mmCIF file of all heavy atoms in Angstrom:
data_model
loop_
_atom_site.group_PDB
_atom_site.id
_atom_site.type_symbol
_atom_site.label_atom_id
_atom_site.label_comp_id
_atom_site.label_asym_id
_atom_site.label_seq_id
_atom_site.Cartn_x
_atom_site.Cartn_y
_atom_site.Cartn_z
ATOM 1 N N THR X 390 5.540 -2.224 -43.962
ATOM 2 C CA THR X 390 5.260 -1.889 -42.543
ATOM 3 C C THR X 390 6.164 -2.578 -41.613
ATOM 4 O O THR X 390 7.200 -3.036 -42.010
ATOM 5 C CB THR X 390 3.819 -2.260 -42.221
ATOM 6 O OG1 THR X 390 3.640 -3.632 -42.505
ATOM 7 C CG2 THR X 390 2.821 -1.470 -42.975
ATOM 8 N N GLU X 391 5.876 -2.605 -40.328
ATOM 9 C CA GLU X 391 6.798 -3.234 -39.296
ATOM 10 C C GLU X 391 6.897 -4.738 -39.567
ATOM 11 O O GLU X 391 5.948 -5.406 -40.114
ATOM 12 C CB GLU X 391 6.063 -3.119 -37.976
ATOM 13 C CG GLU X 391 5.939 -1.639 -37.571
ATOM 14 C CD GLU X 391 7.273 -0.943 -37.149
ATOM 15 O OE1 GLU X 391 8.134 -1.671 -36.626
ATOM 16 O OE2 GLU X 391 7.390 0.208 -37.405
ATOM 17 N N SER X 392 8.033 -5.253 -39.232
ATOM 18 C CA SER X 392 8.207 -6.738 -39.363
ATOM 19 C C SER X 392 9.238 -7.141 -38.354
ATOM 20 O O SER X 392 10.079 -6.380 -37.896
ATOM 21 C CB SER X 392 8.640 -7.168 -40.784
ATOM 22 O OG SER X 392 9.968 -6.497 -41.016
ATOM 23 N N MET X 393 9.142 -8.492 -38.006
ATOM 24 C CA MET X 393 10.021 -9.034 -36.952
ATOM 25 C C MET X 393 10.036 -10.517 -37.104
ATOM 26 O O MET X 393 9.037 -11.119 -37.348
ATOM 27 C CB MET X 393 9.564 -8.648 -35.578
ATOM 28 C CG MET X 393 10.417 -9.201 -34.492
ATOM 29 S SD MET X 393 9.988 -8.538 -32.785
ATOM 30 C CE MET X 393 8.334 -9.071 -32.634
ATOM 31 N N PHE X 394 11.287 -11.071 -37.014
ATOM 32 C CA PHE X 394 11.395 -12.505 -37.040
ATOM 33 C C PHE X 394 12.021 -12.984 -35.686
ATOM 34 O O PHE X 394 13.160 -12.546 -35.404
ATOM 35 C CB PHE X 394 12.224 -12.989 -38.192
ATOM 36 C CG PHE X 394 12.145 -14.493 -38.527
ATOM 37 C CD1 PHE X 394 11.337 -14.991 -39.440
ATOM 38 C CD2 PHE X 394 12.817 -15.378 -37.582
ATOM 39 C CE1 PHE X 394 11.307 -16.356 -39.728
ATOM 40 C CE2 PHE X 394 12.640 -16.737 -37.817
ATOM 41 C CZ PHE X 394 11.888 -17.202 -38.833
ATOM 42 N N LEU X 395 11.419 -13.658 -34.904
ATOM 43 C CA LEU X 395 11.867 -14.157 -33.615
ATOM 44 C C LEU X 395 12.377 -15.623 -33.614
ATOM 45 O O LEU X 395 11.732 -16.445 -34.202
ATOM 46 C CB LEU X 395 10.754 -14.124 -32.561
ATOM 47 C CG LEU X 395 10.207 -12.735 -32.196
ATOM 48 C CD1 LEU X 395 9.009 -12.998 -31.261
ATOM 49 C CD2 LEU X 395 11.242 -11.987 -31.430
ATOM 50 N N LEU X 396 13.569 -15.821 -33.036
ATOM 51 C CA LEU X 396 13.968 -17.222 -32.888
ATOM 52 C C LEU X 396 13.781 -17.565 -31.416
ATOM 53 O O LEU X 396 14.189 -16.830 -30.489
ATOM 54 C CB LEU X 396 15.436 -17.381 -33.156
ATOM 55 C CG LEU X 396 15.842 -17.215 -34.648
ATOM 56 C CD1 LEU X 396 17.347 -17.219 -34.830
ATOM 57 C CD2 LEU X 396 15.204 -18.328 -35.462
ATOM 58 N N ALA X 397 12.999 -18.560 -31.194
ATOM 59 C CA ALA X 397 12.672 -18.981 -29.742
ATOM 60 C C ALA X 397 12.390 -20.477 -29.696
ATOM 61 O O ALA X 397 11.992 -21.069 -30.756
ATOM 62 C CB ALA X 397 11.378 -18.167 -29.317
ATOM 63 N N GLU X 398 12.519 -21.015 -28.545
ATOM 64 C CA GLU X 398 12.266 -22.453 -28.354
ATOM 65 C C GLU X 398 10.841 -22.847 -28.649
ATOM 66 O O GLU X 398 10.574 -23.901 -29.120
ATOM 67 C CB GLU X 398 12.695 -22.808 -26.889
ATOM 68 C CG GLU X 398 12.794 -24.300 -26.690
ATOM 69 C CD GLU X 398 13.943 -24.974 -27.356
ATOM 70 O OE1 GLU X 398 14.924 -24.307 -27.676
ATOM 71 O OE2 GLU X 398 13.734 -26.182 -27.625
ATOM 72 N N ALA X 399 9.919 -21.910 -28.283
ATOM 73 C CA ALA X 399 8.492 -22.177 -28.589
ATOM 74 C C ALA X 399 7.907 -20.777 -28.902
ATOM 75 O O ALA X 399 8.455 -19.685 -28.697
ATOM 76 C CB ALA X 399 7.834 -22.693 -27.298
ATOM 77 N N TYR X 400 6.689 -20.873 -29.482
ATOM 78 C CA TYR X 400 5.949 -19.626 -29.804
ATOM 79 C C TYR X 400 5.726 -18.771 -28.632
ATOM 80 O O TYR X 400 5.164 -19.195 -27.630
ATOM 81 C CB TYR X 400 4.608 -19.905 -30.523
ATOM 82 C CG TYR X 400 3.952 -18.886 -31.275
ATOM 83 C CD1 TYR X 400 4.481 -18.352 -32.419
ATOM 84 C CD2 TYR X 400 2.875 -18.216 -30.765
ATOM 85 C CE1 TYR X 400 3.857 -17.307 -33.103
ATOM 86 C CE2 TYR X 400 2.216 -17.057 -31.309
ATOM 87 C CZ TYR X 400 2.791 -16.645 -32.516
ATOM 88 O OH TYR X 400 2.166 -15.557 -33.268
ATOM 89 N N GLN X 401 6.114 -17.479 -28.664
ATOM 90 C CA GLN X 401 5.959 -16.643 -27.509
ATOM 91 C C GLN X 401 4.546 -15.987 -27.587
ATOM 92 O O GLN X 401 4.478 -14.786 -27.953
ATOM 93 C CB GLN X 401 7.120 -15.635 -27.544
ATOM 94 C CG GLN X 401 8.461 -16.189 -27.492
ATOM 95 C CD GLN X 401 8.730 -16.937 -26.290
ATOM 96 O OE1 GLN X 401 8.629 -16.470 -25.163
ATOM 97 N NE2 GLN X 401 9.063 -18.213 -26.433
ATOM 98 N N THR X 402 3.525 -16.716 -27.205
ATOM 99 C CA THR X 402 2.183 -16.286 -27.393
ATOM 100 C C THR X 402 1.922 -15.004 -26.758
ATOM 101 O O THR X 402 1.361 -14.094 -27.434
ATOM 102 C CB THR X 402 1.240 -17.396 -26.889
ATOM 103 O OG1 THR X 402 1.618 -18.642 -27.435
ATOM 104 C CG2 THR X 402 -0.158 -17.087 -27.267
ATOM 105 N N ALA X 403 2.158 -14.788 -25.438
ATOM 106 C CA ALA X 403 1.809 -13.539 -24.761
ATOM 107 C C ALA X 403 2.477 -12.345 -25.310
ATOM 108 O O ALA X 403 1.958 -11.296 -25.523
ATOM 109 C CB ALA X 403 2.066 -13.717 -23.239
ATOM 110 N N TYR X 404 3.807 -12.518 -25.684
ATOM 111 C CA TYR X 404 4.609 -11.445 -26.148
ATOM 112 C C TYR X 404 4.098 -10.993 -27.568
ATOM 113 O O TYR X 404 3.948 -9.777 -27.807
ATOM 114 C CB TYR X 404 6.113 -11.787 -26.290
ATOM 115 C CG TYR X 404 6.959 -10.716 -26.876
ATOM 116 C CD1 TYR X 404 7.365 -9.615 -26.149
ATOM 117 C CD2 TYR X 404 7.366 -10.781 -28.222
ATOM 118 C CE1 TYR X 404 8.182 -8.648 -26.712
ATOM 119 C CE2 TYR X 404 8.132 -9.832 -28.791
ATOM 120 C CZ TYR X 404 8.488 -8.764 -28.012
ATOM 121 O OH TYR X 404 9.235 -7.760 -28.537
ATOM 122 N N ILE X 405 3.842 -11.950 -28.409
ATOM 123 C CA ILE X 405 3.420 -11.687 -29.783
ATOM 124 C C ILE X 405 1.989 -11.109 -29.739
ATOM 125 O O ILE X 405 1.635 -10.159 -30.537
ATOM 126 C CB ILE X 405 3.492 -12.881 -30.685
ATOM 127 C CG1 ILE X 405 5.057 -13.166 -30.799
ATOM 128 C CG2 ILE X 405 2.909 -12.674 -32.034
ATOM 129 C CD1 ILE X 405 5.385 -14.491 -31.514
ATOM 130 N N GLN X 406 1.111 -11.596 -28.863
ATOM 131 C CA GLN X 406 -0.171 -11.038 -28.723
ATOM 132 C C GLN X 406 -0.171 -9.543 -28.399
ATOM 133 O O GLN X 406 -0.778 -8.671 -28.974
ATOM 134 C CB GLN X 406 -1.035 -11.859 -27.657
ATOM 135 C CG GLN X 406 -2.467 -11.246 -27.523
ATOM 136 C CD GLN X 406 -2.965 -11.425 -26.221
ATOM 137 O OE1 GLN X 406 -2.273 -11.586 -25.181
ATOM 138 N NE2 GLN X 406 -4.326 -11.461 -26.113
ATOM 139 N N ALA X 407 0.650 -9.249 -27.280
ATOM 140 C CA ALA X 407 0.802 -7.856 -26.856
ATOM 141 C C ALA X 407 1.408 -6.933 -27.885
ATOM 142 O O ALA X 407 0.915 -5.824 -28.107
ATOM 143 C CB ALA X 407 1.668 -7.822 -25.600
ATOM 144 N N TYR X 408 2.390 -7.477 -28.637
ATOM 145 C CA TYR X 408 3.064 -6.631 -29.692
ATOM 146 C C TYR X 408 2.092 -6.460 -30.831
ATOM 147 O O TYR X 408 2.022 -5.242 -31.363
ATOM 148 C CB TYR X 408 4.339 -7.292 -30.082
ATOM 149 C CG TYR X 408 5.149 -6.456 -30.970
ATOM 150 C CD1 TYR X 408 5.604 -5.205 -30.604
ATOM 151 C CD2 TYR X 408 5.624 -6.915 -32.215
ATOM 152 C CE1 TYR X 408 6.407 -4.417 -31.408
ATOM 153 C CE2 TYR X 408 6.360 -6.106 -33.055
ATOM 154 C CZ TYR X 408 6.680 -4.877 -32.649
ATOM 155 O OH TYR X 408 7.579 -3.997 -33.486
ATOM 156 N N SER X 409 1.420 -7.421 -31.222
ATOM 157 C CA SER X 409 0.399 -7.228 -32.320
ATOM 158 C C SER X 409 -0.621 -6.225 -31.950
ATOM 159 O O SER X 409 -0.939 -5.304 -32.800
ATOM 160 C CB SER X 409 -0.363 -8.552 -32.596
ATOM 161 O OG SER X 409 0.597 -9.578 -32.898
ATOM 162 N N ASP X 410 -1.128 -6.325 -30.689
ATOM 163 C CA ASP X 410 -2.174 -5.393 -30.231
ATOM 164 C C ASP X 410 -1.614 -3.907 -30.283
ATOM 165 O O ASP X 410 -2.206 -2.974 -30.659
ATOM 166 C CB ASP X 410 -2.698 -5.669 -28.872
ATOM 167 C CG ASP X 410 -3.582 -6.893 -28.877
ATOM 168 O OD1 ASP X 410 -4.100 -7.191 -29.994
ATOM 169 O OD2 ASP X 410 -3.759 -7.387 -27.770
ATOM 170 N N PHE X 411 -0.262 -3.768 -29.784
ATOM 171 C CA PHE X 411 0.282 -2.461 -29.735
ATOM 172 C C PHE X 411 0.430 -1.899 -31.255
ATOM 173 O O PHE X 411 0.261 -0.712 -31.474
ATOM 174 C CB PHE X 411 1.720 -2.602 -29.086
ATOM 175 C CG PHE X 411 2.570 -1.419 -29.361
ATOM 176 C CD1 PHE X 411 2.358 -0.212 -28.689
ATOM 177 C CD2 PHE X 411 3.621 -1.464 -30.352
ATOM 178 C CE1 PHE X 411 3.175 0.890 -28.902
ATOM 179 C CE2 PHE X 411 4.352 -0.254 -30.597
ATOM 180 C CZ PHE X 411 4.168 0.834 -29.925
ATOM 181 N N LEU X 412 0.946 -2.700 -32.211
ATOM 182 C CA LEU X 412 1.009 -2.287 -33.551
ATOM 183 C C LEU X 412 -0.257 -1.668 -34.081
ATOM 184 O O LEU X 412 -0.299 -0.652 -34.770
ATOM 185 C CB LEU X 412 1.598 -3.348 -34.402
ATOM 186 C CG LEU X 412 3.076 -3.815 -34.193
ATOM 187 C CD1 LEU X 412 3.391 -5.033 -35.051
ATOM 188 C CD2 LEU X 412 3.981 -2.651 -34.422
ATOM 189 N N ILE X 413 -1.313 -2.362 -33.803
ATOM 190 C CA ILE X 413 -2.630 -1.932 -34.240
ATOM 191 C C ILE X 413 -3.172 -0.670 -33.583
ATOM 192 O O ILE X 413 -3.517 0.347 -34.168
ATOM 193 C CB ILE X 413 -3.704 -3.065 -34.270
ATOM 194 C CG1 ILE X 413 -3.243 -4.160 -35.193
ATOM 195 C CG2 ILE X 413 -5.133 -2.516 -34.579
ATOM 196 C CD1 ILE X 413 -4.149 -5.507 -35.076
#
Side-chain angles (χ1 to χ4, degrees):
T390 58
E391 300 285 325
S392 65
M393 178 171 61
F394 195 103
L395 292 173
L396 290 175
E398 192 68 27
Y400 192 75
Q401 303 298 304
T402 308
Y404 177 79
I405 292 173
Q406 180 209 21
Y408 189 55
S409 300
D410 287 342
F411 166 77
L412 289 173
I413 295 172

